[in-house]
Amino acid sequence: MSTRTRAVILISGGGSNLQAFIDQIQSGNLAVDIGLVISNNADAFGLERASNAGIKTSAIDHRQFESRLKFDQALMSEIDSVQPDIVILAGFMRILTEDFVNHYRNRLINIHPSLLPKYPGTNTHQRALDSNDQWHGASIHFVVPEVDAGPIILQGRLSIDANDTSDSLQQRIHKIEHFLYPLAVKWFAENRLSIDIDKVLLDGEISAEQLQTFDV
Ligand code: GRF
């Protein structure tokens, strides 16, 4: 009997990536159950998306905790209550402690709107424009204690147009993300991913499928 992969998804805001997961699961393309969606912000629209899909939600306000560690401990105990196989950061805007990251080692993934290792942190679209880059995109990676680092599972790139702005890039990259993130989780759920020191292998090798080019 095949058991479905259980996921917990952490969000802070709109949750369009969360919606992409919900859509792929509902259309039968992704054999994953989202056991719980947690937001650090009770007003996050993503919580509504989850409720509309019949998914359990929880809001844990980081401002109620005296330290980052205490918040992360509360987060961990909420996450572990559903015993997930994978924890997915989908626009979760908090830096996580080393304890948290180590607790979910090799089953904690994040999406970042740049072609890592370029532009960790914020304001990635403007930084790509300011550098006159030809390519920009999004990266999905296993999380390590260093922010926006960690072995890269999958990247999607697009060619920057002369008339692109930070806003247009954000929109174009969101489209890529909605395709890439469910795909990366599908690979995880199908046990196709392994980590070789600092590289992620797909079916035991570095694959051309791990860098995809989009015309969006
Ligand atoms: C995405 O662009 C992701 O790369 C970044 O946060 C954004 C989340 O968007 N980490 P949404 O809440 O999924 O719409």
Side-chain angles (χ1 to χ4, degrees), residues 11-19 49 89-93 110-114 125 138-139 170 173-174 177-178:
I11 61 165
S12 296
S16 67
N17 281 286
L18 165 66
Q19 189 65 52
R49 295 183 191 266
L89 305 178
F92 186 66
M93 302 303 287
N110 182 44
I111 190 162
H112 182 73
S114 79
H125 312 306
S139 307
Q170 184 178 12
I173 282 171
H174 253 120
E177 292 186 346
H178 300 160

Side-chain angles (χ1 to χ4, degrees), residues 28 36 45 49 82 96 113 129 140 162-163:
L36 178 64
F45 179 59
R49 295 183 191 266
V82 298
L96 295 160
L129 287 171
I140 296 155
N163 52 0

